[in-house]
């Protein structure tokens, strides 16, 4: 279905007043966000050319910006829609970056930080060609070894005593050592509603798959992640979704497909939505934004509109660099109204 026809159909079923009423439900949800703190630095440069004595690119530094990524970004997105949000995360004992971490979080987010020994707070530095916004290379400061037994015990004790207080648990599993099998077990056993995003990235490729979980209520992934998870790189997405359902007890799951839109599985049905942005500025962090906001929709059972909202959120998130900004209710409504205007 073409985007214009799709938007017309959604507009009839979900006028802006109905979407506003759905978003209003999010305010009272009590949420725990779990995942690694990731600090994203974007270093903007002007390439000069190949160095004379070495086979490397020579660049002039222009400036850099720092954004809160990983679980910081997820918590910020969620807290723009819900009033009561708590973040459980890790920082390092070396260069903890706590001053920045505290400043970048929205004021309504409560925090529970644990400290990982012999580790920096995870920092990813990307170097870009400022003239074309092209990424040149990335440097990561990370210790992604598993957490110690002592640290695990502290996290498990917190979850044992606190999980029952939250309506929705949102886990951004970036595969950098925080989430192990014992933590997964307690999350699956004691969460009232568990939403999970298990991310494949350059640090964990092939080792961090969604099937490390079995009974999450809601799961999101991109095309490459579902291919890795099912071990199938040739079948179409609906086929892969059915394979995933056969292998797990996931209740609902969303697959984001970039410019191809998104597909959503629930109760044996697959819903789809086209993408609304064809020329993204930067896709870093877009999946986290989609995961954060659609977890709220999955929890409130507003399933028919979920893939539409997913692509609206993604459209907003790819319009700015990295996690420089976050998705708000006001931005989402404005984006939807602009789509409505285009089809009138």
């Amino acid at each position: 279905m073409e985007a214009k026809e799709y938007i017309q159909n959604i507009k009839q079923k979900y006028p802006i007043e109905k979407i506003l009423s759905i978003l209003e439900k999010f305010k009272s949800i009590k949420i725990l966000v779990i995942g690694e703190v990731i600090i994203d630095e974007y270093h903007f440069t002007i390439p000069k050319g190949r160095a004379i004595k070495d086979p490397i690119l020579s660049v002039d530094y222009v400036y850099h910006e720092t954004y809160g990524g990983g679980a910081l970004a997820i918590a910020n997105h969620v807290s723009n829609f819900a009033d009561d949000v708590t973040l459980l995360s890790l920082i390092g004992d070396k260069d903890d970056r706590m001053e920045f971490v505290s400043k970048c979080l929205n004021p309504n987010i409560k925090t529970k930080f644990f400290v990982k020994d012999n580790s920096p707070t995870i920092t990813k530095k990307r170097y870009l060609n400022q003239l074309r916004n092209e990424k040149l290379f990335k440097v990561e400061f990370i210790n992604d070894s598993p957490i110690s037994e002592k640290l695990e015990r502290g996290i498990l004790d917190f979850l044992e005593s606190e999980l029952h207080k939250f309506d929705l648990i949102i886990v951004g599993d970036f595969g950098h050592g925080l989430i192990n099998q014992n933590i997964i077990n307690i999350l699956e056993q004691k969460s009232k509603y568990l939403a999970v995003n298990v991310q494949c990235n350059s640090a964990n490729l092939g080792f961090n798959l969604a099937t490390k979980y079995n009974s999450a209520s809601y799961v999101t992934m991109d095309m490459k992640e579902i291919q890795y998870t099912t071990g199938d790189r040739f079948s179409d997405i609906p086929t892969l979704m059915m394979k995933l359902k056969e292998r797990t007890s996931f209740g609902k799951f969303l697959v984001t497909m970039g410019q191809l839109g998104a597909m959503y599985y629930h109760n044996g049905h697959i819903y789809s939505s086209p993408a609304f942005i064809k020329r993204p500025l930067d896709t870093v962090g877009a999946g986290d934004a989609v995961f954060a906001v659609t977890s709220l929709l999955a929890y409130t059972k507003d399933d028919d509109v979920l893939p539409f909202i997913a692509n609206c959120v993604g459209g907003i998130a790819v319009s700015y660099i990295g996690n420089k900004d976050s998705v708000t209710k006001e931005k989402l409504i404005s984006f939807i109204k602009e789509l409505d205007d285009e089809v009138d």
Side-chain angles (χ1 to χ4, degrees), residues 165-226:
K165 299 177 182 179
F166 298 96
D167 304 310
L168 170 61
I169 311 300
I170 297 178
V171 179
D173 189 338
F174 298 94
H176 293 326
L178 169 60
I179 311 293
N180 64 21
Q181 196 57 53
N182 288 332
I183 291 174
I184 291 172
N185 290 343
I186 192 173
L187 290 173
E188 293 195 324
Q189 292 165 11
K190 299 200 172 184
S191 298
K192 295 176 184 176
Y193 195 97
L194 178 61
V196 174
N197 174 258
V198 186
Q199 189 175 113
C200 290
N201 52 52
S202 60
N204 65 38
L205 195 58
F207 296 98
N208 199 49
L209 304 177
T211 43
K212 64 195 285 189
Y213 298 79
N214 181 61
S215 57
S217 307
Y218 176 64
V219 177
T220 69
M221 61 195 75
D222 63 22
M223 291 175 65
K224 187 59 68 176
E225 287 162 349
I226 195 170

Side-chain angles (χ1 to χ4, degrees), residues 147-173:
I147 58 175
S148 67
E149 290 184 9
K150 180 181 178 182
L151 181 51
E152 176 195 287
R153 186 69 262 160
I155 295 171
L156 291 175
D157 287 346
F158 176 85
L159 295 175
E160 285 276 5
S161 64
E162 301 295 319
L163 271 180
H164 70 280
K165 299 177 182 179
F166 298 96
D167 304 310
L168 170 61
I169 311 300
I170 297 178
V171 179
D173 189 338

